[in-house]
Amino acid sequence: MTRNLRRDLYAVGAAALLVSLAVLIGRRIEDTRHTLFVHWPPVLAEWDPHVGPGTPAALAVAVAAVGYGPVLAARLSWRTLLPTAWAAALAWILSLALVDGWQQGVAGKLTSHNEYLRVIGRFHDIPAALRDFDQHIVSGPPGYWPAHVAGHPPLATVTFVLLDRVGLHGGGWAGMWCITVGATGCVAVLIAVRALAGEELARRAAPFLVLAPAAVWQGTSADGYFAAVAAWAVALLALAVTGRSLWWAAGSGLLFGLTCYLSYGLTLFALIAVAVLGLGRYGPRRRPLLLLPLLAGLAVWPLVLALMGFNWWEAYRLLVIRYYQGVGGIRPYGYWVWANLACTVLITGPATAAGLRRTAGELLRRRGRKAEDAEDAEDAQEAAATATAPAPAPAPAPAARFRLAVLVSAALLALIAADLSGMSKAETERIWLPFALWLLPACAFLSGARAWLAAQAVLALLLNHLLLTGW
C-alpha cells in the first residue's frame, strides 16, 4: 500500500467516524430530549430496509458505471462524453428514486403538505401572488405558506406553476422535471472544470459526478433542480473567463440572478463565482468589460421581481422569523453545526473524503518539481497495482491541479458558511446538494478510480435500500 493511499484511507476513516458519532450522539439526543426532529439522525429518514422496482436498474447502472465509466470517460470524444454523462446520471437518479416506487419515489414527493404543488391554485394571478408573497411567510395569520414555499423565494414555486400552466400537471411531471434538469448539473460541472483546469481532470471527475451518492436525494427534490441552475451559472462564467464570448457572462449573470430567487442560501455561490473570476485567464483584471454583461444579466431577475412587488430582503427577514418559529428554533445548533458535515459525507461519499484530503495537499504543496513527480509516480503505481483499473493517463500539470483545488475549496468554503449561519440545521443532505456537486470533482485527484467508484455506488445503494428518505 502506497503512502498516498494510506493517507486517503485515513481521511475516509475520519469521515466514517464523523458519521458514526453523528448517528450515535444524535440518536441519544433524540431519544432523551426529542429536539432533533429526525428519526434517523443525522438525516431526515426512517429505518426501512426495502427493495423496489428500481432496484435491478440501480444495480445495473452501478455495475456498468464502475466497470466502464473510467474507460469511457477517457476515450469518448468530449462532445459525446457530455450527453453520455447526463444520460448516465439521469438513469442513476431515476433508478434510485424508483426503488421506493413511482408514487412514493417520484410522483408524490412534491405533493406533500410542505411542498410547492400544494399552493399552485393560489398563483392563478402570478403578479398579485408575488406582491403578497411576503405577507404569508410568517406562521400565524390564515393562509401562511407551507414550509418549503415560505423557505424559498417565489420563483421556486412559480417554476411549478408554469409547468402546470403548460399542461404538465401533477407530481409526476414536477418530479421528472427536477430529475431531468437536476441530472444536467454534472454536465455543467464538467464544462467548468474543463475550462478552468483542463480536460484531463474533467474526464477523471466525470464518473464520480455521475455515480454520486447525492443521487439518492437528487431524485424528485427541487434542490436538485436548484443545484443544476447554480451549476450552469458557474459553468457559463467559467467559459466567459477563459476567452469565450462575453455573452457567456451575460448568461451566467442571468442564471446567478435566477439562482438567488430560487433559494436564499444559494447567494453563497458568490464565493464560487469569485474563485472562477480569479482563476480565468481572461477575468476582470485582463478584461474589465466582462463585468458589464455579467452584472447586467445579474440585475434582470431582481429588477423584474421588484417591479412586480416582491422584496427579497424583507422576505428573507421574515423567513428568519418563520424559521425560528418552527423546529429550526428548537434543533440544537451545537449538534447540527458538525452533524451537518456528516450529512455532507453521506451525499458525497468516501471517495470525496479522500479527494478533499488530496485537495488540501494541492493547496499546501510548495515543494519542488521533483517531489511532485515522485507523488505522481506513486499515484501511477497505485493504479497499476489495481488489476481492473484502466491504464493511467499522464498526470495533469500542477497548475491545473491547483486551479481545480481552488475551485473545490471555494465550494467547501461556501458550504461551511452555510453551516455556520445556523439556517441549515438538519436536512442538509438535500439542501446542500448544490454545494455537493462542486466537491465531487476532488475525486479527480484519486487513482484507482474503479475501487473508489465501487465504494460510492455501494454507499448510495445501501442508503437508498436501508432508509426511507423524505423531506
Side-chain angles (χ1 to χ4, degrees):
M1 182 184 295
T2 65
R3 180 180 55 184
N4 263 345
L5 179 57
R6 186 165 55 249
R7 289 175 178 175
D8 290 341
L9 295 178
Y10 290 154
V12 172
L17 178 61
L18 177 65
V19 173
S20 300
L21 289 174
V23 172
L24 295 174
I25 295 174
R27 186 70 269 161
R28 176 67 176 171
I29 294 173
E30 184 61 15
D31 288 344
T32 57
R33 303 179 190 174
H34 311 291
T35 56
L36 298 187
F37 298 94
V38 294
H39 294 156
W40 204 86
V43 298
L44 183 66
E46 306 278 352
W47 178 259
D48 182 22
H50 63 288
V51 296
T55 298
L59 289 171
V61 172
V63 170
V66 172
Y68 299 101
V71 172
L72 291 176
R75 296 179 180 175
L76 290 176
S77 69
W78 182 252
R79 289 186 176 183
T80 304
L81 176 60
L82 294 181
T84 302
W86 170 77
L90 178 62
W92 181 233
I93 296 168
L94 183 58
S95 63
L96 289 174
L98 290 175
V99 169
D100 298 333
W102 171 257
Q103 183 58 38
Q104 189 170 27
V106 178
K109 286 288 191 179
L110 294 170
T111 61
S112 66
H113 68 282
N114 281 326
E115 286 289 354
Y116 307 96
L117 268 63
R118 298 299 288 263
V119 302
I120 284 180
R122 295 171 60 180
F123 278 75
H124 61 276
D125 184 342
I126 293 177
L130 293 176
R131 283 194 300 272
D132 295 337
F133 189 85
D134 59 3
Q135 302 301 313
H136 305 287
I137 293 176
V138 176
S139 297
Y144 62 86
W145 298 123
H148 287 185
V149 177
H152 295 83
L155 288 188
T157 305
V158 169
T159 298
F160 300 102
V161 173
L162 294 177
L163 284 176
D164 186 76
R165 292 275 179 89
V166 299
L168 304 180
H169 310 295
W173 284 112
M176 287 307 300
W177 165 267
C178 291
I179 290 173
T180 305
V181 175
T184 70
C186 73
V187 178
V189 176
L190 288 176
I191 290 172
V193 171
R194 180 180 186 249
L196 296 170
E199 189 169 316
E200 177 57 35
L201 284 170
R203 289 178 178 274
R204 290 186 180 196
F208 295 96
L209 283 158
V210 167
L211 208 62
V216 174
W217 288 273
Q218 281 178 290
T220 326
S221 165
D223 293 87
Y225 155 51
F226 304 158
V229 175
W232 282 107
V234 176
L236 296 188
L237 184 60
L239 292 176
V241 300
T242 51
R244 276 69 169 188
S245 167
L246 291 178
W247 286 109
W248 292 118
S252 174
L254 191 65
L255 289 181
F256 270 120
L258 175 59
T259 299
C260 294
Y261 280 81
L262 291 172
S263 175
Y264 295 104
L266 295 189
T267 55
L268 290 170
F269 259 70
L271 296 173
I272 303 176
V274 169
V276 171
L277 288 172
L279 290 172
R281 181 180 300 177
Y282 297 97
R285 287 188 178 181
R286 185 165 180 178
R287 193 164 56 164
L289 191 61
L290 173 80
L291 293 177
L292 291 179
L294 177 65
L295 295 176
L298 185 62
V300 170
W301 288 111
L303 181 60
V304 170
L305 272 292
L307 290 175
M308 288 187 175
F310 174 72
N311 186 323
W312 191 97
W313 294 101
E314 176 63 10
Y316 181 73
R317 183 187 71 81
L318 294 170
L319 170 62
V320 174
I321 296 173
R322 169 71 177 267
Y323 184 76
Y324 285 97
Q325 283 180 319
V327 296
I330 301 172
R331 284 171 168 159
Y333 180 85
Y335 171 77
W336 287 110
V337 74
W338 61 271
N340 283 337
L341 302 179
C343 294
T344 305
V345 171
L346 292 176
I347 62 176
T348 58
T352 305
L356 289 176
R357 198 279 302 176
R358 297 215 183 190
T359 298
E362 294 295 332
L363 293 176
L364 297 174
R365 190 186 306 189
R366 290 293 182 269
R367 288 171 289 174
R369 180 68 221 172
K370 184 177 179 180
E372 292 169 358
D373 287 340
E375 289 201 9
D376 291 338
E378 229 180 51
D379 287 342
Q381 179 185 347
E382 279 180 45
T386 306
T388 58
R401 296 168 68 94
F402 179 77
R403 288 194 295 272
L404 178 58
V406 170
L407 182 64
V408 170
S409 298
L412 182 60
L413 181 62
L415 184 147
I416 291 172
D419 189 29
L420 296 176
S421 74
M423 289 294 289
S424 297
K425 294 195 288 274
E427 301 182 55
T428 53
E429 67 273 11
R430 168 184 58 83
I431 299 169
W432 287 356
L433 287 173
F435 304 116
L437 283 183
W438 295 93
L439 300 182
L440 293 167
C443 300
F445 295 131
L446 301 173
S447 55
R450 282 181 176 163
W452 289 112
L453 279 171
Q456 298 286 88
V458 168
L459 175 60
L461 291 168
L462 287 174
L463 287 170
N464 212 75
H465 285 85
L466 295 177
L467 301 177
L468 184 62
T469 57
W471 44 83

